[in-house]
């Protein structure tokens, strides 16, 4: 059995209404890495403001949304409005918090946290939850986190890359100093990685009643900005390996919405 067969299964799709996974990345290089990890080729589907890449061999659509939580939320919302999805997965490369998420690690979020959404006060930073204006945290389904982690660690019989489980922080400004890295780690104990899109994807998914996950591969440590130490190519290769073993069929089947919750794609709406 190949990694593709074990990770993605050999199930047939039952038609265009079958729920799929929406994988949202920031940039085309990440989308290409994800698609390389999935079996078969991909076809392009038009979407307002972008293009979905639909895997031919797995129930997955991949969308390069742009950088940052606002772009991620807008693009994910457009996709969620157009097609039925079982689950939204924010994916890509990220900074890792040493020592538990070193360069090369694959991180699965057990919490998706907006780390800098709030206000500076005389007592320090207060997030919007503390201010009474909303939420800064989404919790992925624990069963889905366990399923993904098990596949990455090879507990399903595949040879997986391993996984680190912990909160992934969403920031609008990438950390570039040891002081900010320390402040984030102190404010969010156990944080595993820092990225820029997860909370935006999770916010969009929540509005459609769709669960959200986040998976990141670490290209650099969170801390002083040292581009010479970045390992982007290695992180993209790790992303490809992760999707080669990800149990996408099982994730879609577990979270497939009830038929009444489905809707027609935007391009078919309004046809009599």
């Amino acid at each position: 059995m190949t990694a593709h067969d074990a990770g993605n299964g050999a199930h047939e799709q039952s038609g265009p209404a079958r729920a799929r996974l929406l994988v949202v990345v920031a940039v085309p290089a990440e989308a290409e890495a994800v698609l390389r990890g999935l079996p078969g080729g991909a076809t392009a589907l038009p979407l307002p403001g972008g293009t979905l890449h639909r895997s031919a061999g797995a129930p997955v659509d991949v969308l390069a949304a742009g950088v940052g939580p606002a772009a991620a939320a807008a693009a994910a919302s457009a996709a969620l409005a157009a097609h039925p999805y079982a689950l939204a997965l924010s994916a890509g490369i990220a900074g890792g918090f040493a020592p538990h998420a070193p360069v090369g690690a694959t991180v699965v979020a057990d919490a998706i946290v907006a780390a800098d959404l709030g206000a500076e006060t005389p007592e320090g930073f207060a997030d919007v939850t503390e201010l009474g204006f909303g939420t800064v945290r989404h919790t992925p389904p624990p069963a889905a986190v366990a399923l993904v982690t098990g596949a990455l660690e090879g507990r399903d019989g595949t040879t997986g890359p391993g996984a680190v489980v912990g909160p992934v922080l969403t920031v609008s400004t990438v950390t570039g100093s040891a002081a900010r890295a320390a402040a984030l780690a102190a404010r969010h104990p156990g944080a595993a990685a820092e990225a820029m899109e997860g909370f935006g994807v999770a916010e969009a998914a929540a509005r459609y009643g769709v669960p959200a996950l986040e998976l990141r591969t670490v290209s650099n440590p969170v801390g002083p900005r040292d581009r010479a130490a970045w390992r982007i190519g290695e992180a993209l290769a790790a992303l490809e390996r992760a999707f080669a073993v990800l149990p996408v069929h099982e994730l879609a089947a577990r979270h497939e919405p009830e038929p009444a919750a489905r809707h027609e794609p935007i391009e078919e709406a309004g046809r009599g």
Side-chain angles (χ1 to χ4, degrees), residues 59-170:
V60 178
D61 290 351
V62 182
L63 174 64
V67 174
S77 291
L80 289 160
H83 302 283
Y85 289 105
L87 184 146
L89 173 57
S90 177
I93 65 175
F97 284 91
H100 51 296
V103 173
T106 299
V107 174
V108 180
D110 61 6
I112 302 170
V113 182
D116 55 7
L117 182 61
E120 293 290 346
T121 75
E123 293 75 31
F125 178 81
D127 65 42
V128 295
T129 302
E130 295 172 291
L131 295 169
F133 297 142
T135 185
V136 294
R137 185 183 186 95
H138 290 280
T139 301
V145 173
L147 181 64
V148 170
T149 303
L152 291 171
E153 293 179 348
R155 294 202 297 265
D156 61 354
T158 64
T159 302
V164 174
V165 178
V168 175
L169 309 184
T170 299

Side-chain angles (χ1 to χ4, degrees), residues 3-4 8 23-39 60 62-64 89-94 102-109 148 151-152 159-162 193 195 197 213-219 231-248:
H4 282 313
N8 297 306
V23 177
V24 183
V25 300
V27 297
E30 293 169 324
E32 291 162 7
V34 169
L35 290 167
R36 285 195 302 269
L38 297 171
V60 178
V62 182
L63 174 64
L89 173 57
S90 177
I93 65 175
V103 173
T106 299
V107 174
V108 180
V148 170
L152 291 171
T159 302
E197 293 79 33
L213 293 177
E214 187 164 8
L215 184 149
R216 296 284 171 175
T217 53
V218 177
S219 60
R231 298 292 181 265
I232 292 176
E234 294 173 23
L236 291 172
L239 190 64
E240 177 183 344
R241 291 194 298 273
F243 274 85
V245 300
L246 210 65
V248 292

